[in-house]
């Protein structure tokens, strides 16, 4: 039986509307659900909201565009997202579709007014001054920039690695909280939790609500995390410079761990430049270019050139349906994509592999020297390190496998 017959009247829920190059971004803030619809589809919703029945809205669409839309599929899809529902007594089926539940947002006690003060222009200007100062000092004294050896602990190895692991969790937490505060400054509610990238645990901030903002207001929430990393790294570089010139005296231990912390921050900032991944910098660029599938289309474009074109492997992906403006954008972005790949390979060869190799060599040497014998005097810290890492890895693996496991009613 047809759920939305021609005589059915529809209730359109209160929706946020944000004009976009490809139509209008509609959303329900309390559900955290957003959908980009073309102007023609939005016109149908306007007709339904004005009190027209499904059949009347369909006729009005045909009169304007010369086509008859498929209303049943369209409205059912919107109802699943909580955008519309049949008026009481008008639905032909007795059972309603399950309506999305309102999301539980986190850190709502952070008021937009307070967050706006934290993200105000004077604060951002001060942050810019700190970064500029650090860049000048680093240019004048390259020694304050740590290499991979800053994360290498040949002595007290377990304590150093445990420090780096906790450091990674804590600094990532600050990174994500910066996103959240910047989003709250724009009045956007967020969800905060623990997720995974492959089998690694990570903090996550769900700020889907920024799509209800004008495009120019999305940049600060998107870039707040990298900005927090950059400012903190800059402060560490300034402290390192003051120590190098003798204006500040740091103990050897503080200096070692400070340089390790700076190395972690610099690697995270470099990771944001992996433009072949969906990093914060990628989302900022995609927002600037106004492309919804920038990464996907760029990869198809490069695959067409390299794999199908030069190597003759596979078939070319047809991109003729993509608007000329977007085709020009992903051609430009393909250069950025290649730069990001080059940076990733450079860091792999000159930073990550040497660091990994030296740790493997160190472990082998300690095994030969009997440093890991049972009952040894320095066995507690390696045990804690291994236990923490195992719990961390197992939790990440569990979340990864949960995402891979098909949900009920879903095919593999």
């Amino acid at each position: 039986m047809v759920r939305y017959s021609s005589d059915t009247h529809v209730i359109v829920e209160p929706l946020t509307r944000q004009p976009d190059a490809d139509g209008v971004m509609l959303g329900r803030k309390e559900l955290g659900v957003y959908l980009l619809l073309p102007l023609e589809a939005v016109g149908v919703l306007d007709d339904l909201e004005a009190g027209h029945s499904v059949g009347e809205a369909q006729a009005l669409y045909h009169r304007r565009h010369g086509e008859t839309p498929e209303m049943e599929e369209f409205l059912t899809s919107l109802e699943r997202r909580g955008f519309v529902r049949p008026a009481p007594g008008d639905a032909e089926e007795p059972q309603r579709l399950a309506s999305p539940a309102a999301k539980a947002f986190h850190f709502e006690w952070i008021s937009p007014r307070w967050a706006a003060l934290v993200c105000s222009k004077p604060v951002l200007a001060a942050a810019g001054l700190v970064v500029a100062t650090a860049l000048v000092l680093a240019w004048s004294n390259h020694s304050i920039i740590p290499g991979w050896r800053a994360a290498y602990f040949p002595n007290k190895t377990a304590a150093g690695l445990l420090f780096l692991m906790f450091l990674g969790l804590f600094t990532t937490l600050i990174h994500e909280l910066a996103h959240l505060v910047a989003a709250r400054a724009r009045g956007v509610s967020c969800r905060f939790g623990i997720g995974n990238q492959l089998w690694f645990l990570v903090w996550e901030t769900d700020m889907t609500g920024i799509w209800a903002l004008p495009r120019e207001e999305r940049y600060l929430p998107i870039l707040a995390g990298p900005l927090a990393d950059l400012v903190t790294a800059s402060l560490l570089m300034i402290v390192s410079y003051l120590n190098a010139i003798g204006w500040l005296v740091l103990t050897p231990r503080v200096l070692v761990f400070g340089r390790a912390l700076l190395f972690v921050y610099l690697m995270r900032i470099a990771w944001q430049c992996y433009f072949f991944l969906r990093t914060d910098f990628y989302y900022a660029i995609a927002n600037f270019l106004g492309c919804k599938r920038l990464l996907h289309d760029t990869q198809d474009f490069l695959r067409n050139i390299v794999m199908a074109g030069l190597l003759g492997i596979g078939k070319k992906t047809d991109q003729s349906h993509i608007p000329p403006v977007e085709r020009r954008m992903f051609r430009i972005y393909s250069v950025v994509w290649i730069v990001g790949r080059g940076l990733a390979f450079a860091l792999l060869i000159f930073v990550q592999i040497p660091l990994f190799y030296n740790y493997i060599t160190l472990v082998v040497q300690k095994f030969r020297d009997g440093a890991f014998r049972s009952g040894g005097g320095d066995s507690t810290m390696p045990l804690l390190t291994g236990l923490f890492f195992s719990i961390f890895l197992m939790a990440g693996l569990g979340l990864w496998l949960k995402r891979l496991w098909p949900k009920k009613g879903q095919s593999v």
Side-chain angles (χ1 to χ4, degrees):
M1 183 179 293
V2 178
R3 179 171 177 76
Y4 288 98
S5 66
S6 59
D7 295 332
T8 303
H9 285 76
V10 176
I11 295 177
V12 180
E13 304 290 354
L15 302 172
T16 62
R17 298 192 178 200
Q18 186 57 51
D20 192 270
D22 298 323
V24 178
M25 183 70 73
L26 302 178
R28 287 194 63 181
K29 295 177 67 174
E30 67 277 16
L31 301 180
V33 179
Y34 296 86
L35 182 65
L36 181 65
L37 288 181
L39 291 174
E40 297 83 359
V42 176
V44 172
L45 287 180
D46 290 338
D47 293 334
L48 294 171
E49 193 171 19
H52 294 286
S53 67
V54 171
E56 290 169 344
Q58 191 176 43
L60 289 170
Y61 185 96
H62 184 273
R63 188 182 306 167
R64 288 193 293 262
H65 305 290
E67 298 177 354
T68 302
E70 176 52 57
M71 300 293 284
E72 171 71 13
E73 182 180 352
F74 173 64
L75 293 174
T76 300
S77 175
L78 292 182
E79 185 179 355
R80 287 197 181 97
R81 290 172 168 83
F83 285 12
V84 301
R85 55 188 168 91
D90 278 0
E92 295 188 14
E93 290 186 3
Q95 292 185 344
R96 292 187 54 198
L97 295 177
S99 179
K103 289 188 175 182
F105 296 108
H106 303 141
F107 294 92
E108 290 293 278
W109 53 267
I110 300 178
S111 70
R113 181 179 179 182
W114 179 85
L117 290 175
V118 175
C119 301
S120 62
K121 290 182 178 179
V123 173
L124 294 177
L129 181 61
V130 169
V131 173
T133 301
L135 290 175
V136 172
L137 296 181
W139 182 265
S140 63
N141 187 348
H142 299 334
S143 65
I144 67 175
I145 304 296
W148 61 265
R149 293 188 180 277
Y152 178 60
F153 299 95
N155 301 313
K156 301 290 184 181
T157 305
L161 290 178
L162 196 60
F163 170 78
L164 286 179
M165 284 188 280
F166 275 113
L167 202 63
L169 283 175
F170 178 73
T171 56
T172 306
L173 173 65
I174 300 302
H175 174 103
E176 294 300 325
L177 284 175
H179 284 300
L180 187 144
V181 171
R184 294 294 294 147
R186 298 293 185 262
V188 175
S189 295
C190 303
R191 301 179 75 237
F192 192 84
I194 296 177
N196 67 294
Q197 290 182 353
L198 295 178
W199 43 84
F200 298 103
L201 280 180
V202 292
W203 298 103
E204 288 183 340
T205 302
D206 179 356
M207 50 179 188
T208 315
I210 66 170
W211 297 114
L213 300 174
R215 183 184 297 179
E216 62 274 9
E217 293 186 19
R218 300 172 191 163
Y219 290 108
L220 185 57
I222 291 173
L223 295 174
L227 179 60
D229 292 340
L230 192 57
V231 171
T232 307
S234 298
L235 289 172
L236 289 170
M237 282 193 286
I238 292 173
V239 170
S240 181
Y241 178 83
L242 294 177
N243 177 80
I245 63 175
W247 288 14
L248 185 67
V249 180
L250 300 176
T251 64
R253 176 171 293 184
V254 171
L255 185 61
V256 166
F257 285 120
R259 287 179 66 82
L261 177 58
L262 178 55
F263 175 80
V264 169
Y265 271 114
L266 292 179
M267 288 298 293
R268 182 173 298 139
I269 293 168
W271 184 84
Q272 294 292 342
C273 298
Y274 289 7
F275 299 110
F276 56 94
L277 299 174
R278 287 180 171 84
T279 64
D280 295 333
F281 287 172
Y282 162 76
Y283 282 115
I285 294 173
N287 184 69
F288 176 77
L289 298 178
C291 299
K292 303 297 181 298
R293 290 162 46 92
L294 179 62
L295 185 59
H296 185 274
D297 291 337
T298 300
Q299 290 173 338
D300 283 345
F301 172 70
L302 290 171
R303 196 178 296 113
N304 286 344
I305 293 176
V306 178
M307 300 299 292
L310 296 178
L311 302 178
I313 301 175
K315 295 181 179 180
K316 286 189 176 182
T317 301
D318 183 17
Q319 296 186 301
S320 60
H321 63 282
I322 300 175
V325 174
E326 291 199 22
R327 288 205 299 270
R328 185 165 59 251
M329 294 302 178
F330 68 64
R331 287 191 180 98
I332 295 173
Y333 189 75
S334 64
V335 178
V336 180
W337 190 97
I338 293 171
V339 170
R341 276 285 186 184
L343 175 64
F345 278 114
L347 289 178
L348 175 65
I349 295 170
F350 297 108
V351 176
Q352 294 165 343
I353 289 179
L355 183 60
F356 179 74
Y357 173 78
N358 276 269
Y359 269 120
I360 292 296
T361 304
L362 180 64
V363 169
V364 171
Q365 185 62 45
K366 288 197 173 187
F367 265 113
R368 289 177 177 173
D369 296 342
F372 297 115
R373 285 195 306 265
S374 176
D378 192 28
S379 61
T380 303
M381 190 58 73
L383 180 63
L384 290 176
T385 304
L387 180 62
F388 175 77
F389 182 77
S390 298
I391 294 174
F392 189 76
L393 181 60
M394 291 301 294
L397 277 170
L399 288 175
W400 179 58
L401 292 173
K402 182 180 178 181
R403 290 190 178 185
L404 292 180
W405 195 263
K407 296 180 181 179
K408 185 178 180 180
Q410 184 182 46
S411 61
V412 178

